[in-house]
Amino acid sequence: MQTPASMVMGIVFAPLGLVLVFTAAITPQWREGQAHLAVSGPGSILRSGLRPHGLGVRPGALEALLLIRSDGLWESCLQMAPPELKHCWPVSGAYQKDPRVRLAQGLTLTSLFLCGTGIVLACIGVRCWKDLPLRGVAAAGGLLMVLASLLSLTALSVYSYNISRLGLQDHTYNKQSQLSLRPAGAMYFAWLGSCLQMLGGVALMFSLKRTKCPTCPACPELPACPAGTCPENNKASMHIYEVSC
């Protein structure tokens, strides 16, 4: 069987998009911010007793340090330099309870499930080991991929629109550090993966349309030429398999 180009696009783009979205979902790099903090002197972060989770810095050792805060859907990280110290922990507090974060988590998980199911259906529908594909099954898999893409794009839109307001009431050192949060690398991977899922799903949906079989001038009422009856297509039975629909 000669697999249609639309099916090839679907079974290539969709798994790649699924991998990118899954990688972004488990990475604590949806948003990040940097700030320079005063370690010594009046009003410093150490004098005020606001020590970051699990990171110990001796008073008087440094004059200033760089604070890097990053958050994901299920994990947050805090890095200080110098010295190079990094600590990660599961999301908690107001950030974890924020309904917009919970919405993004639910939409992302549902998107991954739908895309995985769509890929399974697409593999069953393409049936490269058979002469004829199951076009309806492949198109159903493409529809699930499109829905998965829409869900992940919705999650990304909600998160990016509220990125500077998610759980900040629990950010105890935000007022002193003036930490400005912006989209991080994982979100760009998720955007790319969602677009690839959309392309793969649309390509598989287009494969639902049957290709037109060539007709024989000698017998135009037939969808394909019987073997040996048409001078133009007298190529034995192998040609019949190529034009079968």
Side-chain angles (χ1 to χ4, degrees):
M1 170 191 139
Q2 186 177 0
T3 306
S6 58
M7 288 187 176
V8 174
M9 289 179 58
I11 61 179
V12 170
F13 286 168
L16 181 58
L18 177 64
V19 171
L20 290 175
V21 174
F22 176 77
T23 303
I26 63 176
T27 304
Q29 292 288 333
W30 281 56
R31 69 175 186 180
E32 68 179 6
Q34 298 181 1
H36 291 276
L37 302 179
V39 176
S40 60
S44 68
I45 188 173
L46 295 180
R47 288 181 179 272
S48 59
L50 301 177
R51 295 177 182 269
H53 298 275
L55 295 177
V57 179
R58 292 180 301 169
L62 299 170
E63 294 296 330
L65 54 83
L66 176 64
L67 174 69
I68 303 175
R69 170 70 184 263
S70 60
D71 295 302
L73 293 182
W74 284 275
E75 191 177 29
S76 297
C77 292
L78 191 65
Q79 182 177 358
M80 304 181 87
E84 293 294 337
L85 298 173
K86 185 176 183 179
H87 179 67
C88 298
W89 64 94
V91 293
S92 58
Y95 180 79
Q96 181 189 25
K97 298 176 182 178
D98 195 301
R100 295 160 295 190
V101 176
R102 290 184 173 272
L103 177 62
Q105 292 174 341
L107 291 177
T108 302
L109 289 177
T110 306
S111 170
L112 292 173
F113 174 76
L114 289 179
C115 187
T117 305
I119 292 174
V120 173
L121 289 178
C123 293
I124 296 174
V126 172
R127 299 200 313 173
C128 295
W129 60 94
K130 296 287 186 178
D131 293 331
L132 302 178
L134 299 175
R135 297 179 181 274
V137 178
L143 179 60
L144 290 181
M145 294 175 191
V146 172
L147 292 177
S149 174
L150 293 176
L151 290 178
S152 58
L153 289 174
T154 302
L156 290 166
S157 300
V158 171
Y159 194 97
S160 59
Y161 181 76
N162 301 283
I163 196 168
S164 60
R165 300 187 295 271
L166 296 174
L168 286 187
Q169 57 269 34
D170 193 47
H171 207 328
T172 54
Y173 42 86
N174 183 65
K175 292 183 179 180
Q176 290 194 9
S177 64
Q178 298 298 319
L179 191 65
S180 59
L181 298 168
R182 62 182 183 276
M187 289 198 69
Y188 300 112
F189 280 104
W191 284 109
L192 178 59
S194 300
C195 293
L196 289 177
Q197 289 177 1
M198 178 69 72
L199 289 175
V202 170
L204 284 169
M205 291 176 67
F206 274 118
S207 68
L208 180 62
K209 184 178 180 181
R210 287 178 175 269
T211 57
K212 294 183 179 181
C213 296
T215 59
C216 177
C219 39
E221 69 278 0
L222 297 178
C225 296
T229 60
C230 182
E232 293 82 1
N233 295 323
N234 190 11
K235 296 183 180 179
S237 60
M238 182 59 69
H239 184 73
I240 298 177
Y241 283 108
E242 292 179 354
V243 300
S244 297
C245 293

